[in-house]
Amino acid sequence: MASTIVMIMTGWMRRLADAAAHWVHLESHGRVAYALLLMTDWIHGRGNVPADLQITHGKLGEMTGLTRQSVGTALRSLRDAGLVSVEARNVTVLDSAGLKNIVDNPR
């Protein structure tokens, strides 16, 4: 039991370290894309789309270090690219490969 908990905690710490490393080099839409990918993977499983995520702009801002307004701008950009749909307190990931491309190839 203890070894299982240690393995789970190690996995979470590795993911958080990876997230921090990515966020240093990403612009706002990349940070939001990365946060959405992480949530989709954790909640729905890797690559399972469409994936509905109940989250506010404010919470995404807290997760990414962005203002609520910057999150809104980033989500509009991702929506216009056909990668997500956005409704009140809900973001649906439509194209996880497209979000990953933004994260892996920052401008």
Side-chain angles (χ1 to χ4, degrees):
M1 174 82 155
S3 63
T4 302
I5 292 172
V6 169
M7 286 176 28
I8 291 170
M9 296 291 289
T10 302
W12 278 93
M13 293 300 290
R14 199 172 296 128
R15 285 182 178 163
L16 288 173
D18 288 347
H22 276 297
W23 285 344
V24 170
H25 302 289
L26 293 175
E27 295 179 11
S28 60
H29 67 287
R31 288 183 185 194
V32 171
Y34 192 70
L36 294 174
L37 283 172
L38 287 177
M39 288 187 294
T40 298
D41 288 353
W42 291 340
I43 296 169
H44 297 284
R46 188 165 300 243
N48 285 334
V49 291
D52 290 325
L53 304 170
Q54 293 185 358
I55 190 160
T56 65
H57 292 161
K59 283 293 179 190
L60 271 172
E62 290 173 17
M63 292 174 62
T64 58
L66 300 169
T67 65
R68 191 171 53 83
Q69 291 80 9
S70 293
V71 169
T73 300
L75 285 172
R76 279 189 295 281
S77 172
L78 297 173
R79 181 199 62 207
D80 292 347
L83 305 176
V84 300
S85 69
V86 181
E87 295 180 23
R89 299 180 182 260
N90 191 63
V91 177
T92 302
V93 174
L94 302 172
D95 183 354
S96 59
L99 292 177
K100 184 163 177 18
N101 186 48
I102 288 172
V103 172
D104 291 342
N105 302 296
R107 295 182 209 176

